[in-house]
């Protein structure tokens, strides 16, 4: 339906050109591709157009790309489904491909899993978890370009979502780095953070002696210093792991749209979610939290978006990168330098918050304080 609308409006050509421009930015400015790189590009059918353009851009810089297109619908095309144990196995020849790649550009590969059985989906997730584990030492981009089915299931307009993606990718990454460096300088060496907003959030925690990270949106730091070797696309945030036992107060978020949860309120005591409630989806959230393992209900991260090109869509993976937003996470934070080990990492996005660091304003109603 969406593609027909684009075609009827003459928008399909515009989309094609936008994807070509985004692919050039991804290959040259974000992936920082170099001559003779062995590049593995993973995608789904819905993201194949962008992946093809990235492949061509890779050739243009003298790299050697290989395009791996995944189609989850193949499991619906035959009467006899392969055994689950066979689906979840990462074959040796595929592992060899992963290990011999210099860089991975991984576009969202799932189309619409709702028609697959739970067992097949779980086996498929297990397979892709093995893929992710195999490339953990590689420079990699995670390109968050969901299918129309996934986006519309979150009640987000797909055309606006695509435009938001393109706008957020085609930005000045030096400018993003400058913004990130400024914010990081205001957090470095500080102790107490106070986050609050008009929705009811009023949360304090300590970041004393915790390192400040900058995801400037590219792999430049990975190749120069070995840091930030896994980058989201679109990207751009400053992050820090709070002392895991330090958070006290309340966090209120408008929505956790992936699960259709609205007006969620989390109360923290000594770093842990003591109780919660939601206007809609409280029981859904309870079941998700009960199912999770480890330090699932402890504060994990403060993130501050620095990408001025992101337009809010309701998709939190984008929105958390937007300049003027902040996000508080619970769950795993080992990958960020913290001590929480958990099966989840959930980011809760705040729009236009106020942030004070050691009683000094850093952000006021979403605006970075430069003075």
């Amino acid at each position: 339906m969406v593609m027909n609308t684009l075609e009827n409006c003459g928008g399909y050509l515009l989309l094609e050109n936008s994807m070509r421009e985004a692919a050039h930015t991804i290959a040259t400015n974000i992936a920082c591709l170099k001559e003779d790189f062995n590049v593995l590009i993973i995608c789904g059918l819905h993201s194949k157009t962008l992946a093809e353009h990235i492949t061509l851009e890779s050739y243009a810089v003298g790299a050697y790309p290989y395009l791996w297109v995944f189609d989850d619908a193949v499991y619906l095309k035959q009467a006899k489904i392969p055994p689950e144990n066979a689906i979840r196995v990462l074959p040796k020849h595929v592992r060899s491909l992963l290990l011999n790649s210099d860089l991975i550009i991984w576009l969202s590969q799932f189309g619409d899993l709702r028609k697959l059985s739970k067992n097949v989906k779980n086996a498929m997730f297990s397979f892709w978890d093995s893929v992710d584990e195999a490339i953990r030492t590689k420079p990699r981009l995670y390109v968050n370009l969901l299918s129309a089915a996934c986006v519309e299931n979150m009640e987000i307009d797909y055309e606006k979502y695509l435009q938001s993606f393109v706008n957020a990718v085609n930005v000045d990454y030096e400018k993003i780095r400058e913004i990130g460096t400024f914010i990081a300088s205001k957090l470095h060496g500080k102790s107490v953070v106070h986050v609050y907003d008009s929705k009811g959030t009023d949360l304090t925690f300590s970041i004393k002696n915790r390192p400040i990270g900058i995801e400037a949106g590219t792999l430049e730091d990975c190749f120069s210093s070995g840091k930030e070797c896994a980058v989201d696309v679109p990207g751009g945030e400053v992050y820090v792991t709070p002392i895991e036992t330090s958070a006290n107060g309340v966090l209120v978020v408008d929505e956790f749209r992936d699960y259709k949860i609205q007006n969620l309120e989390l109360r923290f005591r000594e770093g842990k979610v003591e109780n919660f409630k939601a206007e809609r989806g409280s029981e859904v959230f309870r079941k998700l939290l009960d199912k999770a393992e480890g330090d699932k209900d402890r504060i994990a991260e403060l993130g501050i978006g620095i990408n001025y090109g992101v337009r809010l869509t309701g998709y939190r993976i984008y929105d958390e990168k937007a300049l003027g937003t902040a996000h508080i996470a619970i769950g795993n934070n080992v990958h960020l330098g913290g001590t929480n080990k958990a099966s989840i990492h959930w980011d809760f996005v705040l729009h236009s918050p106020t942030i004070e660091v050691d009683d000094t304003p850093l952000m006021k109603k979403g605006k970075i304080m430069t003075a």
Side-chain angles (χ1 to χ4, degrees), residues 40-67:
L40 174 61
I41 302 164
I42 303 172
C43 73
L45 289 182
H46 69 279
S47 54
K48 184 167 174 276
T49 296
L50 177 59
E52 288 173 338
H53 285 307
I54 294 173
T55 301
L56 295 175
E57 292 289 344
S58 300
Y59 279 122
V61 300
Y64 301 111
Y66 179 79
L67 180 58

Side-chain angles (χ1 to χ4, degrees), residues 5 14 17 22 30 59 64 180 194 213 247 249 253 264 267 272 332 354:
T5 302
L14 177 62
N17 290 336
I30 301 179
Y59 279 122
Y64 301 111
H194 184 198
V253 289
L264 177 65
R267 290 196 171 272
K272 190 173 183 178
N332 189 69
T354 294

Side-chain angles (χ1 to χ4, degrees), residues 221-350:
D221 289 336
C222 177
F223 295 125
S224 64
S225 64
K227 298 179 180 179
E228 301 300 330
C229 286
V231 173
D232 287 328
V233 180
E237 67 173 276
V238 174
Y239 61 88
V240 60
T241 59
I243 303 298
E244 286 80 2
T245 58
S246 68
N248 290 285
V250 61
L251 172 66
V252 180
V253 289
D254 289 337
E255 57 186 357
F256 197 43
R257 190 175 287 213
D258 314 38
Y259 301 101
K260 303 189 186 314
I261 298 169
Q262 295 181 348
N263 295 324
L264 177 65
E265 179 181 301
L266 305 175
R267 290 196 171 272
F268 289 82
R269 184 170 181 269
E270 296 181 353
K272 190 173 183 178
V273 176
E274 190 174 40
N275 57 66
F276 63 86
K277 63 180 180 180
E279 185 177 296
R280 176 186 174 188
S282 184
E283 190 58 30
V284 172
F285 187 78
R286 184 182 305 279
K287 289 179 180 178
L288 289 169
L289 202 56
D290 286 345
K291 185 179 179 181
E293 300 175 348
D295 300 316
K296 57 190 178 182
D297 50 5
R298 284 206 173 273
I299 191 165
E301 177 194 8
L302 164 68
I304 300 174
I306 58 176
N307 189 324
Y308 64 88
V310 175
R311 299 295 177 264
L312 301 179
T313 63
Y315 178 42
R316 60 191 171 94
I317 303 301
Y318 282 12
D319 292 356
E320 69 173 38
K321 308 296 185 182
L323 184 64
T325 70
H327 54 278
I328 304 293
I330 61 173
N332 189 69
N333 66 0
V334 173
H335 61 298
L336 301 176
T339 63
N340 287 349
K341 295 181 179 180
S343 60
I344 62 167
H345 176 93
W346 289 340
D347 294 310
F348 302 100
V349 181
L350 301 174

Side-chain angles (χ1 to χ4, degrees), residues 113-246:
L113 302 180
R114 288 174 293 183
K115 294 181 180 180
L116 297 178
S117 72
K118 181 179 179 180
N119 289 343
V120 170
K121 281 191 288 188
N122 288 340
M124 198 178 296
F125 292 153
S126 180
F127 170 82
W128 287 107
D129 285 345
S130 296
V131 171
D132 192 45
E133 185 65 30
I135 63 173
R136 282 300 170 95
T137 61
K138 305 287 185 179
R140 57 206 185 277
L141 298 180
Y142 295 105
V143 183
N144 293 300
L145 186 61
L146 301 182
S147 68
C150 290
V151 172
E152 291 167 356
N153 187 52
M154 291 187 283
E155 300 176 356
I156 298 172
D157 182 272
Y158 189 57
E159 292 181 48
K160 290 181 179 179
Y161 167 85
L162 290 177
Q163 193 57 57
S164 179
F165 173 82
V166 172
N167 290 343
V169 167
N170 294 320
V171 292
D172 182 346
Y173 286 95
E174 285 304 314
K175 182 177 180 180
I176 287 180
R177 182 178 293 278
E178 289 175 7
I179 297 170
T181 300
F182 174 80
I183 293 174
S185 72
K186 299 300 181 181
L187 292 170
H188 181 72
K190 300 301 191 293
S191 295
V192 179
V193 177
H194 184 198
V195 182
Y196 57 96
D197 64 13
S198 60
K199 302 290 185 179
T201 291
D202 190 354
L203 189 66
T204 60
F205 48 85
S206 173
I207 60 169
K208 188 175 182 179
N209 297 326
R210 287 295 171 92
I212 313 302
I214 305 173
E215 184 201 79
T218 79
L219 287 173
E220 179 182 347
D221 289 336
C222 177
F223 295 125
S224 64
S225 64
K227 298 179 180 179
E228 301 300 330
C229 286
V231 173
D232 287 328
V233 180
E237 67 173 276
V238 174
Y239 61 88
V240 60
T241 59
I243 303 298
E244 286 80 2
T245 58
S246 68

